[in-house]
Amino acid sequence: MRVGPARKLTEAMNTDIENLVPQATVQGGPTEALAERLIEALVPALELLTVEFGRRLGLYAALAENDGATAGELAAISRIDARVAREWLEQQATAGFLRVDRPSADPDERRFALPAAHIPVLLVPESPAYAIGAATMLSGTASAFEAVVEAARSGTGVSYGAFGAGVRHGLQQLNRPGFVGELTEWMARLPDVSARLRSGGRILDLGCGTGWSSVALARLFPEATVIGVDLDDASIAEARALAAAEGLAPRLRFEQADATDGEAMAALTGGGAQLVTIFEALHDMNEPQDALDAARRALAADGAILVGDERVADEFGPDGDFLERLNYGFSVLHCLPATMAEGAGVANGTVLRPATLRAWAAGAGLNRVDELDIEHPFWRFYRLDR
Ligand SMILES: C[S@@+](CC[C@H](N)C(=O)[O-])C[C@H]1O[C@@H](n2cnc3c(N)ncnc32)[C@H](O)[C@@H]1O
């Protein structure tokens, strides 16, 4: 058979690559370790997606409400195919997410239940243990994977909205317990601002997403007015519905706008906000220094800005810890492309180092930046003053 030049080149490259790997490193060495790591990573990744599968189809809720079910019962309650129900139930029990009574019974007779200890993790949105957002975020992030790959070639990014409800709701699920459960503690670190807000005043919540941070602020300061701002129209639509459902409108309202627009932000508060908050959103804005400048322009003279953003290391380094790896993973697959879709600009990505934030603050005329002593598994908190 005639071997074409391209084929010859490929064969030569393969041979070269094989020769580059000393056989001693394959067995028991770093080659085997990496191969094992990649293969093993398939299991938690797949299991996370099966958790989202269960959430989307209401299967966990059905099991909790009915004190367990057989495959046939779950299929009838949830209106899904019985064969699929059986496979999911068996998979979930194998993964340790569900309990099965009499595993040796006929497959259609086996009863599966959600252990009580797993309910807060999967079904209670304001529980500190609520962690199902990890599954929703993964599925939302993966939903735009092909566009993200293509955008790496074009450099045009992929808009936040293109990641759909998966990312929007995954973030909401992950962050809501902190907003509704811990905001009081966070605001205790800004005692002067909190004291003023107890008797009224204005709060601007930039990059508010679906609005839970704004709701928590409105609940904590019942005399204050709160304006949430986000660029994503689907998030703002859901935030408005939330404000109405919580009975907080019109004291709480939401605007679809670009938080980097200084004139617009100053107009929203009349330049008189006591507090501007930016939770896990500054790194997503492609002109973050402009966003801080806009926040400064929206503030009253004695107001302050509270930023919560990723708890990453002070400097880049290889072999990162859990948080570095988590944040870089989301950066490549979601935050960086979403930020780049906002147009030419900084394109910071998820990993917002403290020194970077300080430089942006200084550029925006905010000369004081204090990192606050607030415990949070994922975020650092900063108070910024003029
Ligand atoms: C990671 S989400 C965080 C949402 C919410 N603050 C939370 O903590 O759940 C980042 C948010 O910033 C918003 N965002 C990005 N760029 C923006 C901009 N220039 N102006 C306003 N919002 C922006 C996105 O639409 C998204 O809702």
Side-chain angles (χ1 to χ4, degrees):
M1 189 176 40
R2 192 169 162 268
V3 179
R7 171 97 178 269
K8 267 190 191 154
L9 183 63
T10 315
E11 280 175 359
M13 279 173 67
N14 287 343
T15 313
D16 284 352
I17 289 166
E18 275 164 26
N19 289 341
L20 282 174
V21 182
Q23 287 308 298
T25 67
V26 175
Q27 283 193 347
T31 305
E32 189 176 318
L34 178 59
E36 276 178 16
R37 182 173 157 190
L38 297 191
I39 300 294
E40 284 170 8
L42 261 175
V43 174
L46 288 169
E47 287 180 349
L48 214 44
L49 290 176
T50 67
V51 168
E52 177 62 2
F53 181 95
R55 184 191 78 84
R56 286 284 296 280
L57 292 166
L59 306 182
Y60 295 118
L63 287 171
E65 282 160 18
N66 292 280
D67 208 17
T70 62
E73 288 165 357
L74 182 65
I77 298 163
S78 307
R79 294 164 191 259
I80 64 167
D81 180 85
R83 178 66 190 91
V84 177
R86 184 180 125 198
E87 201 71 2
W88 181 79
L89 286 165
E90 290 178 2
Q91 178 271 332
Q92 293 281 295
T94 307
F97 301 150
L98 298 183
R99 203 183 57 231
V100 55
D101 295 340
R102 298 195 303 118
S104 56
D106 182 86
D108 292 328
E109 301 296 318
R110 292 177 194 140
R111 286 197 74 77
F112 296 84
L114 185 59
H118 293 182
I119 290 176
V121 179
L122 301 169
L123 286 172
V124 185
E126 297 198 358
S127 164
Y130 194 55
I132 203 164
T136 311
M137 267 304 277
L138 178 66
S139 111
T141 302
S143 72
F145 184 74
E146 294 304 327
V148 167
V149 170
E150 199 40 54
R153 297 198 173 94
S154 66
T156 53
V158 176
S159 74
Y160 182 84
F163 289 86
V167 161
R168 200 165 67 244
H169 295 164
L171 279 163
Q172 173 185 303
Q173 290 155 13
L174 288 172
N175 291 343
R176 177 175 164 188
F179 294 139
V180 299
E182 293 163 28
L183 186 80
T184 310
E185 197 189 310
W186 306 347
M187 286 307 300
R189 302 289 174 196
L190 287 78
D192 52 331
V193 175
S194 294
R196 285 191 284 274
L197 284 171
R198 274 193 276 278
S199 49
R202 268 161 276 175
I203 301 172
L204 186 62
D205 186 18
L206 301 180
C208 64
T210 57
W212 278 99
S213 49
S214 314
V215 163
L217 286 160
R219 284 183 188 163
L220 182 62
F221 299 110
E223 302 302 321
T225 56
V226 181
I227 306 169
V229 170
D230 203 284
L231 201 52
D232 178 49
D233 48 3
S235 296
I236 287 297
E238 290 182 11
R240 285 183 177 146
L242 177 66
E246 292 281 314
L248 290 166
R251 186 169 67 80
L252 166 63
R253 68 185 171 93
F254 292 96
E255 298 293 337
Q256 197 238 323
D258 189 335
T260 68
D261 181 340
E263 249 173 59
M265 296 307 105
L268 279 177
T269 66
Q274 290 297 338
L275 175 68
V276 178
T277 52
I278 315 177
F279 295 120
E280 211 179 22
L282 187 61
H283 71 253
D284 288 302
M285 296 176 186
N286 210 15
E287 299 290 357
Q289 186 171 305
D290 288 354
L292 291 180
D293 185 61
R296 181 185 57 75
R297 290 173 64 177
L299 276 185
D302 55 358
I305 301 167
L306 175 62
V307 174
D309 218 299
E310 311 304 346
R311 184 172 283 285
V312 291
D314 287 336
E315 289 173 7
F316 167 76
D319 299 325
D321 64 11
F322 169 80
L323 286 175
E324 292 290 296
R325 289 167 57 193
L326 180 76
N327 285 302
Y328 268 119
F330 275 125
S331 199
V332 171
L333 297 173
H334 169 63
C335 292
L336 184 63
T339 308
M340 289 174 75
E342 288 184 26
V346 173
N348 185 79
T350 320
V351 181
L352 176 49
R353 308 273 181 215
T356 307
L357 180 131
R358 285 176 193 280
W360 293 343
L366 294 154
N367 295 319
R368 191 160 169 196
V369 178
D370 294 306
E371 187 165 349
L372 303 176
D373 182 18
I374 294 174
E375 266 189 49
H376 191 289
F378 297 107
W379 298 352
R380 292 173 181 251
F381 288 85
Y382 308 87
R383 173 180 174 148
L384 284 62
D385 290 86
R386 285 161 189 273

